[in-house]
Amino acid sequence: MKVKKQISKLVKPNYEGKDLHSTSSNNVPLSIFDTLTFDTQVAIIYTFHPPTPSNTTIEKGLAKALAEYREWAGRLGEDTDGKPVILLNDKGVRFVESTVDCTLEEYIPFKPSSTLLTLHPPLERGMEELVQVQLTRFTCGSLAVGFTAHHLVADGQATSKFLVAWGRATRGVHLGPLPTHDRTIFHPRDPPQIEFQHRGVEYEPMKKKPSVYDDCDPDVVVHKTHYTKEFLMKLKSKASAGHPNLTARSRAFSLTSGERRRRRVDFTRWRRPKSGSPSQVKSLVSEPIQYAARLIHEAIAKVDGDYFRSFIDFANSGAVEKEGLVTTADMTKLVLCPNLEVDSWLRFPFYDLDFGGGCPDLFMPTYSPVEGMLFLVPSFVGDGSIDVYVPLHEKNMTTFRQICYNVD
């Protein structure tokens, strides 16, 4: 597949008919939750069969949506006190138009592959634009939309809502509930009340020595596993019955039984920190499935209002700077082994994006070979099944394939 990029430009907000008095500030401070998350662009891909609106129509819809989501057209920077902010300078988002010399059917099904990166503008770190869009037209008239958004600006839920608003703006209908722009609502208490452990969860010491896993084989491949609704129901039934746990990734790695693993499970709502829970591989493999499910449930349940307030107090206490702590969300790590990050997009309305020709035929994260970072996505089949994108070292893939459907 050869992708030919024809046009690359910046699309700025279209404020026609909009009162800018309420958006006259020149920056939006990043909240403590913004600075905690991954400092990277997150990329996704859509495909649409014809008929689809023209690139010009989609571009105009984007400009209208940006008038309400002004941060997305801005840039990261600092205020006069040196604190991180989003500069509301309306510099715009990158908009690329391209074509490909084959039909969509010749390339479907999209499988995790570095070839998918050609459906996006460059994803290098330090990219100035906070949002990048690439429209790729196939010879059959189908359309692929490569979309990236900076994670410091929006999480999965906020991104999915923006995409829905973009589609509505393109169709010329009301955008729906408008976004919240106030990110200064998370204030520490006086005096602070740090009631939970945040070292090793949201923050960790800067490593002076490389981990034993930093030298792991960097040859990582991404495997797409499809789980039917029937399989998921069977899995839940086995878990309820106390079936021995067949944690596929643990077995695929064949880690030592005493190795402690941390699972970060991202069931994010707006600005919600992730839950972390350490456990030994021996327990994950030998205990019933319900043991692992209970650990995850308990970890998520702990992230309540009290935990939020404790975290805000800790993050503003000066301990982070004094101790030289850094966020545990580090996208420079291409190997998370022995840890595991699970990002669930199952409840986000990504499939509600409609430019006027109907909802997408396919939605998926783009190729991201970060070992141990899993994505759960609703299947495009629309029958309650899910697709799981699992990056693993190639040497472990055979074992994973043998056991990933084993619940008997």
Side-chain angles (χ1 to χ4, degrees):
M1 182 182 73
K2 183 178 180 181
V3 176
K4 182 179 180 181
K5 297 181 180 179
Q6 300 173 317
I7 298 175
S8 179
K9 59 184 175 182
L10 292 175
V11 174
K12 300 183 178 183
N14 178 3
Y15 293 113
E16 182 179 357
K18 180 177 174 59
D19 180 10
L20 289 182
H21 180 73
S22 60
T23 60
S24 58
S25 60
N26 59 9
N27 66 63
V28 174
L30 293 183
S31 75
I32 191 61
F33 295 113
D34 296 324
T35 59
L36 180 72
T37 191
F38 292 107
D39 183 4
T40 189
Q41 296 266 1
V42 178
I44 57 177
I45 292 175
Y46 285 99
T47 65
F48 299 85
H49 279 91
T52 59
S54 68
N55 290 358
T56 299
T57 300
I58 295 175
E59 177 188 343
K60 289 180 178 179
L62 177 61
K64 291 180 181 178
L66 290 174
E68 297 292 351
Y69 290 78
R70 192 179 178 190
E71 295 94 329
W72 300 62
R75 299 291 185 267
L76 293 175
E78 296 180 348
D79 63 12
T80 55
D81 297 324
K83 295 182 179 180
V85 299
I86 302 173
L87 301 173
L88 301 180
N89 51 24
D90 294 340
K91 285 193 173 182
V93 306
R94 179 62 54 184
F95 189 82
V96 177
E97 298 179 52
S98 60
T99 59
V100 62
D101 57 357
C102 70
T103 66
L104 183 62
E105 283 68 23
E106 289 177 291
Y107 195 65
I108 291 292
F110 280 170
K111 296 181 179 179
S113 165
S114 59
T115 304
L116 294 176
L117 298 177
T118 63
L119 299 178
H120 293 279
L123 301 178
E124 292 91 353
R125 289 178 60 84
M127 183 64 62
E128 184 180 78
E129 295 87 5
L130 302 183
V131 170
Q132 300 181 90
V133 175
Q134 180 172 321
L135 305 183
T136 303
R137 297 283 178 175
F138 291 79
T139 56
C140 60
S142 296
L143 171 67
V145 179
F147 180 89
T148 69
H150 204 294
H151 208 286
L152 295 185
V153 178
D155 58 15
Q157 178 162 280
T159 298
S160 62
K161 288 184 176 180
F162 170 79
L163 290 163
V164 173
W166 178 15
R168 294 179 67 86
T170 303
R171 303 198 311 270
V173 299
H174 181 61
L175 268 61
L178 299 180
T180 301
H181 299 282
D182 185 6
R183 302 186 183 216
T184 64
I185 61 177
F186 305 110
H187 299 291
R189 292 169 291 189
D190 186 15
Q193 302 175 43
I194 303 171
E195 305 168 277
F196 297 89
Q197 179 60 259
H198 301 287
R199 296 174 182 86
V201 182
E202 293 89 10
Y203 294 103
E204 63 183 357
M206 185 177 295
K207 292 182 179 179
K208 296 182 179 179
K209 296 181 180 180
S211 164
V212 293
Y213 292 100
D214 287 349
D215 296 326
C216 284
D217 180 5
D219 188 14
V220 174
V221 293
V222 183
H223 179 66
K224 177 182 176 181
T225 301
H226 179 76
Y227 291 111
T228 65
K229 183 178 180 179
E230 292 72 24
F231 177 88
L232 295 173
M233 293 176 62
K234 184 178 181 181
L235 183 64
K236 291 178 182 179
S237 176
K238 293 290 185 180
S240 300
H243 191 269
N245 189 358
L246 298 175
T247 307
R249 186 170 176 270
S250 297
R251 290 183 176 235
F253 273 122
S254 299
L255 296 174
T256 59
S257 62
E259 180 64 70
R260 292 183 68 81
R261 163 168 300 161
R262 179 170 297 279
R263 298 169 310 287
R264 286 166 53 89
V265 185
D266 182 13
F267 294 93
T268 54
R269 295 296 179 263
W270 189 67
R271 306 296 167 241
R272 177 171 182 171
K274 298 184 180 182
S275 305
S277 176
S279 60
Q280 291 188 348
V281 171
K282 178 181 179 180
S283 298
L284 286 175
V285 175
S286 62
E287 294 290 338
I289 295 175
Q290 62 192 50
Y291 170 79
R294 187 180 74 247
L295 288 179
I296 296 173
H297 174 77
E298 291 175 351
I300 295 173
K302 290 178 181 178
V303 187
D304 55 12
D306 290 337
Y307 188 92
F308 271 112
R309 288 185 283 270
S310 174
F311 166 73
I312 293 171
D313 288 351
F314 176 79
N316 288 278
S317 68
V320 174
E321 296 79 9
K322 182 179 179 180
E323 300 176 27
L325 302 178
V326 296
T327 175
T328 55
D330 184 1
M331 282 301 293
T332 64
K333 298 177 181 177
L334 298 181
V335 175
L336 302 184
C337 174
N339 297 326
L340 179 64
E341 170 108 14
V342 181
D343 293 286
S344 175
W345 294 353
L346 298 178
R347 296 181 181 271
F348 300 151
F350 281 110
Y351 273 103
D352 291 345
L353 172 60
D354 180 2
F355 291 122
C359 294
D361 302 292
L362 178 66
F363 161 75
M364 65 181 293
T366 197
Y367 180 69
S368 180
V370 179
E371 185 279 331
M373 181 170 286
L374 280 67
F375 290 93
L376 281 61
V377 181
S379 172
F380 68 92
V381 178
D383 61 351
S385 59
I386 68 172
D387 294 322
V388 182
Y389 294 83
V390 186
L392 284 173
H393 294 296
E394 190 168 18
K395 62 184 178 183
N396 298 319
M397 191 58 70
T398 299
T399 302
F400 177 81
R401 286 172 173 163
Q402 292 173 346
I403 62 179
C404 66
Y405 294 107
N406 187 358
V407 294
D408 295 319

